[in-house]
């Protein structure tokens, strides 16, 4: 069964980027301790959903589009460039129709809500997020872009897994 998942790294105090959308706090840790977890997660991804800020960061900092031809939906209210060979759809409005389209496109694989926090929060508040996978990094920022900027308190989530990766800890929560 296809799941819609928010897979993300966070500081201990709940931020996914600093106030300037910088990730140097995260990148200082490298990928050695995390590549096995990421590769296992990504092997089951069949479609992506993300916001414009995350999309632009990936294009600017990531050295090109890393997701090949995976079907991708980007929430935005403005025109953005599409990398050669990428399968990108720009959307705005409610998340439910995008969730339905992404699930259909993913087939028997999962949908990754890449970020940012506002997009993931919209999916959660619409009842369209199935799982939250957060790797808490051993650092605090004090301010920045929140992990999940929600408008109300969620019901309790069910912890289904905990994995230590060096000094970081991944928590997996089932929603609903």
């Amino acid at each position: 069964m296809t799941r819609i998942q928010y897979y993300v790294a966070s500081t201990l105090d709940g931020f996914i980027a600093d106030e300037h959308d910088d990730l140097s706090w995260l990148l200082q840790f490298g990928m050695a301790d995390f590549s096995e977890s990421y590769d296992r997660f990504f092997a089951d991804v069949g479609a992506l959903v993300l916001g414009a800020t995350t999309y632009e960061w990936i294009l600017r900092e990531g050295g090109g589009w890393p997701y090949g031809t995976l079907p991708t939906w980007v929430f935005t209210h403005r025109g953005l460039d599409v990398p050669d060979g990428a399968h990108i759809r720009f959307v705005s409005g409610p998340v439910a129709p995008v969730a339905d389209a992404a699930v259909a496109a993913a087939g028997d694989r999962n949908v990754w809500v890449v970020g940012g926090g506002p997009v993931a929060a919209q999916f959660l508040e619409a009842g369209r997020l199935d799982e939250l996978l957060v790797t808490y990094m051993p650092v605090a920022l004090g301010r920045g872009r929140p992990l999940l900027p929600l408008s109300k308190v969620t019901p309790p989530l069910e912890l289904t897994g905990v994995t230590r990766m060096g000094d970081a800890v991944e928590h997996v929560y089932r929603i609903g």
Side-chain angles (χ1 to χ4, degrees), residues 67-120:
Y67 305 117
T69 59
L70 278 178
T72 302
W73 286 259
V74 177
F75 279 90
T76 186
H77 293 286
R78 53 197 157 87
L80 299 169
D81 293 332
V82 177
D84 290 339
H87 190 68
I88 310 286
R89 295 172 182 91
F90 298 109
V91 295
S92 61
V95 300
V98 174
D100 291 341
V103 165
D108 61 349
R109 296 166 75 194
N110 297 320
V111 176
W112 178 13
V113 178
V114 180
V119 173

Side-chain angles (χ1 to χ4, degrees), residues 68-173:
T69 59
L70 278 178
T72 302
W73 286 259
V74 177
F75 279 90
T76 186
H77 293 286
R78 53 197 157 87
L80 299 169
D81 293 332
V82 177
D84 290 339
H87 190 68
I88 310 286
R89 295 172 182 91
F90 298 109
V91 295
S92 61
V95 300
V98 174
D100 291 341
V103 165
D108 61 349
R109 296 166 75 194
N110 297 320
V111 176
W112 178 13
V113 178
V114 180
V119 173
Q122 289 174 47
F123 270 75
L124 181 57
E125 289 181 333
R128 299 308 303 265
L129 194 62
D130 301 307
E131 205 167 48
L132 177 62
L133 299 91
V134 183
T135 301
Y136 289 99
M137 305 304 291
V139 64
L141 289 178
R143 63 188 177 284
R145 307 291 185 214
L147 172 67
L148 280 169
L150 298 166
S151 63
K152 59 185 177 184
V153 175
T154 68
L157 308 178
E158 178 187 355
L159 181 66
T160 61
V162 177
T163 304
R164 182 175 179 176
M165 295 178 278
D167 289 331
V169 179
E170 179 185 73
H171 291 186
V172 180
Y173 294 98

Side-chain angles (χ1 to χ4, degrees), residues 17-22 60 145:
D18 76 8
E19 65 272 17
H20 305 291
D21 299 316
D22 183 60
R60 183 179 63 250
R145 307 291 185 214

Side-chain angles (χ1 to χ4, degrees), residues 31-100:
M31 285 297 296
D33 291 335
F34 314 104
S35 61
E36 184 179 324
S37 172
Y38 176 82
D39 291 345
R40 185 175 47 252
F41 168 80
F42 193 71
D44 288 332
V45 172
L48 308 166
V49 176
L50 55 154
T53 300
T54 301
Y55 177 74
E56 289 177 307
W57 187 94
I58 291 168
L59 293 179
R60 183 179 63 250
E61 305 291 335
W65 185 244
Y67 305 117
T69 59
L70 278 178
T72 302
W73 286 259
V74 177
F75 279 90
T76 186
H77 293 286
R78 53 197 157 87
L80 299 169
D81 293 332
V82 177
D84 290 339
H87 190 68
I88 310 286
R89 295 172 182 91
F90 298 109
V91 295
S92 61
V95 300
V98 174
D100 291 341

